[in-house]
Amino acid sequence: MHTVYSRKLVKSLLDRLVIRLSARRNMAATIDDGSNGNLEENFEQVVTMETVVAADNKGIDYNKLIRDFGCSALNESHLERIERITGKPPHHLLKRGVFFSHRDLDAMLDMYEKGQPFYLYTGRGPSSESMHLGHLIPFIFTKYLQEAFNVPLVIQMTDDEKFFLKKHLTSEETHRLGYENVKDIIALGFDPKNTFIFSDIDYIGNSPSFYQNIIKIQKCITFNQVRATFGFVETDSIGKIAFPAVQAAPAFCSSFPETFGSRKDVPCLIPCAIDQDPYFRLTRDVAPRIGFHKPSLIFSTFFPALQGAKTKMSASDPNSSIFLTDTPNQIKKKINKYAFSGGKVTVEEHRELGGDIEVDIPYKYLTFFVEDDAKMEQIKQDYCSGKMLSGEIKKELIQILQPLVAAHQERRKLVTDEVLAEFMKPRKLEFPGLKEPKKK
């Protein structure tokens, strides 16, 4: 008996295979030693689970990504509504477009205004001893949402996924790295009263409810669906192919009976980078079929590599990133040596024409970490006009990041084994407004 595939499915599979091969070919050709070589003129950006490559140093075209992924743009009305509902001013990452798109955020805000509580879910895939600055962005913004809406948060450490994806890492090592990364997350100041952090390797084996949701999701998703979504090929491991269901499960509240009791109707909002969207497109497709709300999502842009916005920061390349373990001298050296500049070749030319903030990495990094809007606007004016030189904007960034990283390192020292255990113990979290459903 032969399986008959639709033309649409065959075309989708072929297209995704071409994209994947193209991404790998261009990555090998252009992302090598941090050079500023140009991509082929006809190359278009690639954003997949494993590859993020822009067409040039201006970075990813996020308007195109919104169209390609079928999500919606965040606009001023969303910021105004969040401020009105919470009484908190919009986070600077919202105002500057770092978080730029969403799925069903309006529906989530509608429910919240009617008294329906929700919870937050985000995660981290541990592949390095230390997190880098780019890894902090979703957590910084998630903490703002948690405090503004006064809701609980679950954080998934996908140590199993990294074991499947990274050939050089053992499961024991990804498990260990996960705990090291949790210390960095806790050091951001999350409250254990309403934050639960868990390792997949630990939690799946100890939570029948979590595993039941995983297998319900797995039963609803075909191999053709995950192949079309992620571009899997025949040589990919079955662990890698099955993993999307594990990332989907925390989006359903019944995965956490210790927190939500018997409730199955508490919706979820997921802050994450836009490359995680394929996971949650599948999750949203499955949700109504197994009796759950579709999760809502709010997406961030990528944190660019020091060498330029063609790619995001990588934990595997120490010179592409500022790590949370870096010393003040390492931070200074990396920024001065590797940070791609939008400045001109000579001082005279720069004074006349100004810097190009569309490609300048120090300027892009400052937009993530300078909270003061007036200060950020002054930097923009000075650099674009040529008043501020490339060396001066790099110095500004160094002076911002050195104390930021040093303060993080001091807070991390306070994360003892006892503190770690408190955050990672399955338990009831503070959840204003959540009540058990009435028994019929």
Side-chain angles (χ1 to χ4, degrees):
M1 181 177 178
H2 297 285
T3 303
V4 179
Y5 296 104
S6 68
R7 287 185 178 181
K8 183 177 181 181
L9 175 59
V10 171
K11 185 178 185 302
S12 174
L13 296 177
L14 290 173
D15 286 348
R16 289 177 185 278
L17 181 58
V18 169
I19 286 174
R20 191 170 180 180
L21 292 173
S22 174
R24 288 178 174 175
R25 183 174 65 250
N26 281 284
M27 283 289 284
T30 63
I31 311 302
D32 46 15
D33 62 351
S35 67
N36 296 323
N38 294 320
L39 293 171
E40 297 174 11
E41 289 183 6
N42 62 350
F43 174 71
E44 290 191 11
Q45 65 187 23
V46 174
V47 177
T48 69
M49 181 178 68
E50 297 181 64
T51 304
V52 175
V53 187
D56 55 41
N57 270 317
K58 292 182 180 179
I60 296 294
D61 180 344
Y62 290 103
N63 290 326
K64 183 179 187 300
L65 207 56
I66 287 174
R67 295 192 298 271
D68 290 347
F69 280 19
C71 49
S72 302
L74 284 170
N75 55 48
E76 193 63 34
S77 67
H78 290 105
L79 276 62
E80 293 171 354
R81 190 176 185 193
I82 289 172
E83 183 170 14
R84 175 172 55 80
I85 293 172
T86 66
K88 305 285 186 182
H91 198 275
H92 73 277
L93 294 175
L94 265 178
K95 290 187 288 185
R96 300 200 187 133
V98 173
F99 281 81
F100 72 104
S101 66
H102 71 98
R103 291 191 186 276
D104 277 353
L105 178 61
D106 297 285
M108 182 66 69
L109 296 178
D110 288 343
M111 287 190 284
Y112 183 79
E113 283 197 285
K114 293 175 182 176
Q116 167 72 60
F118 68 88
Y119 71 102
L120 293 163
Y121 155 42
T122 194
R124 160 80 183 129
S127 60
S128 58
E129 190 86 24
S130 169
M131 290 166 59
H132 59 56
L133 289 179
H135 295 142
L136 291 185
I137 300 306
F139 293 106
I140 290 171
F141 185 66
T142 298
K143 185 172 182 288
Y144 158 79
L145 291 175
Q146 183 185 31
E147 293 172 353
F149 287 96
N150 193 20
V151 293
L153 162 67
V154 297
I155 299 174
Q156 179 185 42
M157 305 302 293
T158 57
D159 38 16
D160 50 347
E161 178 203 27
K162 289 304 178 185
F163 171 60
F164 299 139
L165 293 179
K166 303 292 184 180
K167 293 181 179 180
H168 65 288
L169 291 177
T170 65
S171 59
E172 292 80 9
E173 181 65 359
T174 60
H175 185 244
R176 184 189 72 82
L177 293 175
Y179 274 77
E180 291 301 312
N181 287 184
V182 169
K183 294 176 184 177
D184 279 322
I185 294 169
I186 293 172
L188 288 170
F190 287 102
D191 188 341
K193 293 178 182 177
N194 58 1
T195 305
F196 172 48
I197 307 174
F198 66 97
S199 146
D200 281 345
I201 290 174
D202 290 338
Y203 193 61
I204 292 173
N206 293 297
S207 176
S209 297
F210 190 61
Y211 185 62
Q212 282 181 8
N213 278 344
I214 291 172
I215 62 176
K216 288 176 184 176
I217 297 162
Q218 288 174 335
K219 190 173 183 179
C220 290
I221 301 175
T222 68
F223 173 63
N224 283 338
Q225 284 178 298
V226 293
R227 180 169 59 179
T229 301
F230 297 104
F232 291 138
V233 294
E234 291 178 355
T235 54
D236 284 322
S237 71
I238 59 173
K240 184 177 175 181
I241 293 164
F243 174 76
V246 180
Q247 185 156 322
F252 305 135
C253 66
S254 64
S255 295
F256 308 102
E258 299 87 358
T259 295
F260 300 102
S262 62
R263 295 289 293 262
K264 295 184 178 181
D265 61 340
V266 183
C268 173
L269 174 61
I270 305 170
C272 61
I274 187 66
D275 59 343
Q276 298 300 300
D277 182 57
Y279 286 109
F280 298 114
R281 289 202 300 268
L282 284 177
T283 307
R284 284 167 55 81
D285 179 63
V286 167
R289 296 161 62 190
I290 56 177
F292 295 117
H293 284 293
K294 290 183 178 183
S296 298
L297 295 107
I298 183 166
F299 298 116
S300 74
T301 60
F302 300 115
F303 198 90
L306 282 168
Q307 286 83 354
K310 287 179 183 177
T311 63
K312 63 179 182 177
M313 262 193 179
S314 171
S316 61
D317 180 359
N319 293 325
S320 78
S321 312
I322 303 295
F323 284 87
L324 299 177
T325 50
D326 282 348
T327 65
N329 189 54
Q330 286 174 317
I331 294 170
K332 181 179 180 180
K333 182 178 178 180
K334 284 183 179 181
I335 292 171
N336 282 332
K337 185 174 182 179
Y338 297 110
F340 189 88
S341 174
K344 300 302 182 286
V345 177
T346 66
V347 171
E348 292 76 14
E349 186 182 4
H350 186 89
R351 294 291 191 200
E352 180 184 354
L353 300 175
D356 183 356
I357 59 172
E358 289 193 30
V359 301
D360 193 89
I361 288 299
Y363 178 81
K364 289 180 181 289
Y365 280 21
L366 287 169
T367 65
F368 284 91
F369 294 107
V370 174
E371 296 184 23
D372 188 327
D373 291 332
K375 180 175 181 178
M376 199 63 226
E377 181 60 28
Q378 189 62 56
I379 291 172
K380 178 181 177 180
Q381 295 284 346
D382 289 349
Y383 192 60
C384 289
S385 68
K387 181 179 179 181
M388 175 181 277
L389 299 174
S390 297
E392 291 171 332
I393 198 169
K394 287 185 176 183
K395 182 179 179 181
E396 184 74 38
L397 179 61
I398 292 165
Q399 291 174 343
I400 292 289
L401 294 186
Q402 284 177 331
L404 184 151
V405 172
H408 182 91
Q409 291 169 358
E410 291 302 311
R411 292 193 303 269
R412 193 183 190 279
K413 292 176 183 177
L414 302 177
V415 181
T416 62
D417 290 343
E418 290 74 21
V419 172
L420 202 67
E422 183 180 10
F423 274 91
M424 301 189 76
K425 178 183 177 181
R427 65 204 185 280
K428 189 172 182 61
L429 302 179
E430 287 188 1
F431 202 155
L434 181 68
K435 299 176 182 178
E436 280 292 311
K438 293 181 180 179
K439 295 182 179 180
K440 296 182 180 179

